[in-house]
Amino acid sequence: MNFLRFAVRRLAEMAAALLGASFVIFGAMYLAPGNPASFLLAGRSASPEALRAINAQYHFDEPFVVQYVRWLGQVVQGDFGRSITYRTDVSRLLADRLPSTLLLISMALVLVLALGLLLGWIGAVRGGAADSTILVTTTFAIGTPSFVAAVLLQGLFAVNLHWFPTGGTGEGPAQMLWHLTLPAVALALYLIGMLARVTRAAMLDVLGQEHVTVARSRGVSDHRVIRRHVFRNALGTVLTTSGLIVSTLLVTTVLVESAFSVGGIGQLLELSTTTKDFPTVQAISLIMVALFMTVNLVVDLLHPLVDPRVALGPRRPAA
């Protein structure tokens, strides 16, 4: 029951935060310089009657609050409006491009979790030369931004060696996986180094605690001690970091998609911002914020299950 109340409270907090974020996202676009009607006209001059017709069609002539309430009501129904640049429904644009972005993020996340946890585990348990090598490798990974990694990987493996395509997503599942391999590596490289460092530090901290020493003194095998006592107790820190990792992937995918011309929502966001395509930018921004909040909600709900020592919300003062 405590966990159920905690989950309901977190869901309510997320809904309130998402509502506030939607207001900020909608209002921020109208603080930007320029008039979206000018992009609809593509630089051509128009009569005052034509401008009034465009403003009426896209509701630019209505008060801000009225526009926001209208837009929010449509969003709740799954209607994000009509793209100013592409002259089609934003929902259709997102449906065409979202699968590529989600697959790219999923591939990068698998690489981050698999390699980051493995390297952190080896560094903490093995020590010596293995730990030193991992520290040097992760330092290089952390010091390489995603857009720099994208250029280096593209130049080496796509342009020079011709092992991978330079961009695009291909056709079919196999082609899509092949095309997204280099972007996924570029997206994951920095985060692999970060997770490896966090995992190593968390495990080393647990290794020095008294209960680990007691377990070893009782003859428990090192493998079991590491698996059940060290890694399990370090999972709380790793889980919290994993939430930050997913959030970072959502942000940095814009740069990587542009470098490799993936054609996902990250690249669509960049193009739509340049052309001041209000409905598309607002929809993508709201989706990214919703995904960010969902990831943090999942982490908050999993944390007490992984580590029962975590309190479910504030404790009541003793009487």
Side-chain angles (χ1 to χ4, degrees):
M1 290 301 296
N2 288 338
F3 181 80
L4 181 59
R5 285 196 295 268
F6 173 71
V8 171
R9 185 174 68 249
R10 289 292 291 113
L11 283 171
E13 292 172 352
M14 174 181 168
L18 190 58
L19 180 63
S22 69
F23 183 83
V24 173
I25 289 171
F26 188 84
M29 290 300 300
Y30 287 86
L31 296 177
N35 185 355
S38 62
F39 292 97
L40 286 170
L41 295 171
R44 296 169 296 179
S45 59
S47 62
E49 292 78 12
L51 287 175
R52 281 195 295 269
I54 292 175
N55 288 327
Q57 179 182 356
Y58 287 90
H59 308 288
F60 295 146
D61 56 345
E62 295 179 350
F64 170 78
V65 176
V66 176
Q67 293 186 52
Y68 169 70
V69 172
R70 180 193 299 276
W71 173 75
L72 186 62
Q74 292 174 340
V75 168
V76 171
Q77 301 175 31
D79 181 9
F80 292 99
R82 189 172 178 82
S83 170
I84 296 175
T85 303
Y86 297 93
R87 310 295 177 89
T88 186
D89 291 339
V90 175
S91 300
R92 181 176 299 178
L93 286 175
L94 297 178
D96 292 339
R97 295 173 179 258
L98 191 58
S100 300
T101 298
L102 292 179
L103 179 58
L104 173 60
I105 292 176
S106 300
M107 292 174 62
L109 183 60
V110 169
L111 291 174
V112 172
L113 293 178
L115 296 178
L117 293 176
L118 178 62
L119 292 175
W121 179 304
I122 294 174
V125 174
R126 295 286 181 85
D131 187 27
S132 299
T133 302
I134 289 173
L135 286 175
V136 172
T137 304
T138 54
T139 299
F140 172 77
I142 293 174
T144 307
S146 296
F147 66 91
V148 175
V151 174
L152 294 176
L153 291 172
Q154 193 175 47
L156 177 60
F157 294 104
V159 177
N160 292 330
L161 297 177
H162 304 288
W163 289 359
F164 294 94
T166 57
T169 55
E171 297 181 1
Q175 285 285 326
M176 185 173 290
L177 289 173
W178 185 43
H179 278 71
L180 293 180
T181 298
L182 285 184
V185 174
L187 197 58
L189 186 62
Y190 162 78
L191 296 171
I192 290 173
M194 184 180 72
L195 182 60
R197 287 293 189 94
V198 170
T199 304
R200 174 185 176 274
M203 292 184 66
L204 286 175
D205 180 62
V206 178
L207 275 170
Q209 294 180 7
E210 184 178 355
H211 70 277
V212 175
T213 304
V214 172
R216 282 175 167 170
S217 67
R218 291 179 177 177
V220 181
S221 64
D222 282 345
H223 178 72
R224 189 174 182 181
V225 168
I226 296 299
R227 180 171 54 87
R228 298 193 61 180
H229 295 276
V230 177
F231 185 70
R232 186 174 180 179
N233 283 291
L235 269 181
T237 303
V238 173
L239 181 63
T240 303
T241 306
S242 298
L244 176 62
I245 284 172
V246 177
S247 304
T248 304
L249 288 174
L250 292 173
V251 176
T252 54
T253 186
V254 177
L255 301 174
V256 174
E257 284 188 7
S258 299
F260 286 94
S261 301
V262 171
I265 62 172
Q267 187 181 26
L268 179 62
L269 176 61
E270 180 191 18
L271 297 174
S272 300
T273 303
T274 303
T275 57
K276 211 173 181 60
D277 190 347
F278 282 15
T280 305
V281 173
Q282 290 164 346
I284 296 175
S285 300
L286 187 62
I287 288 175
M288 285 189 169
V289 170
L291 289 174
F292 174 83
M293 292 183 179
T294 301
V295 168
N296 283 290
L297 175 65
V298 172
V299 170
D300 286 346
L301 295 180
L302 288 179
H303 207 167
L305 300 179
V306 172
D307 188 353
R309 297 170 298 179
V310 176
L312 297 177
R315 295 180 180 270
R316 293 183 178 180

